[in-house]
Amino acid sequence: MEISGIISAIVIGILIGALGRLVLPGRQRIGILLTILVGIVAALLGSAIAAGIGVADTDGVDWAEWLIQIGLAALGIALLDRGRVRR
């Protein structure tokens, strides 16, 4: 992976993580670094899932892929937030 790929993964992770947090109601008690990491993982997993079900490459904007990624980010953030509350 080249440096441009790493930088773009971080930028997409920030965007997906932020959108995942916006989808969830209330306050989340996880930091920005965990949000970025969850966003990066959600973006990668969401792309793989979208490719697996055949919606990754469509004409125009890949809305289905974005929805999968944001949903995964929201799920990851919610799980981490609940884990922090129990501690």
Side-chain angles (χ1 to χ4, degrees):
M1 180 175 260
E2 296 179 16
I3 190 73
S4 62
I6 294 170
I7 292 172
S8 64
I10 292 170
V11 170
I12 290 171
I14 291 169
L15 181 64
I16 295 294
L19 289 172
R21 282 184 84 135
L22 286 174
V23 169
L24 294 173
R27 181 174 185 258
Q28 295 83 36
R29 293 169 190 88
I30 66 170
I32 190 70
L33 290 177
L34 276 176
T35 301
I36 292 170
L37 288 175
V38 168
I40 291 170
V41 170
L44 294 172
L45 283 175
S47 293
I49 291 170
I53 60 175
V55 295
D57 293 321
T58 60
D59 294 333
V61 179
D62 297 327
W63 294 110
E65 184 176 7
W66 275 86
L67 289 174
I68 293 168
Q69 292 171 339
I70 294 168
L72 287 172
L75 178 67
I77 290 169
L79 290 174
L80 283 175
D81 185 44
R82 287 187 185 233
R84 292 234 180 232
V85 171
R86 291 185 181 162
R87 287 186 184 178

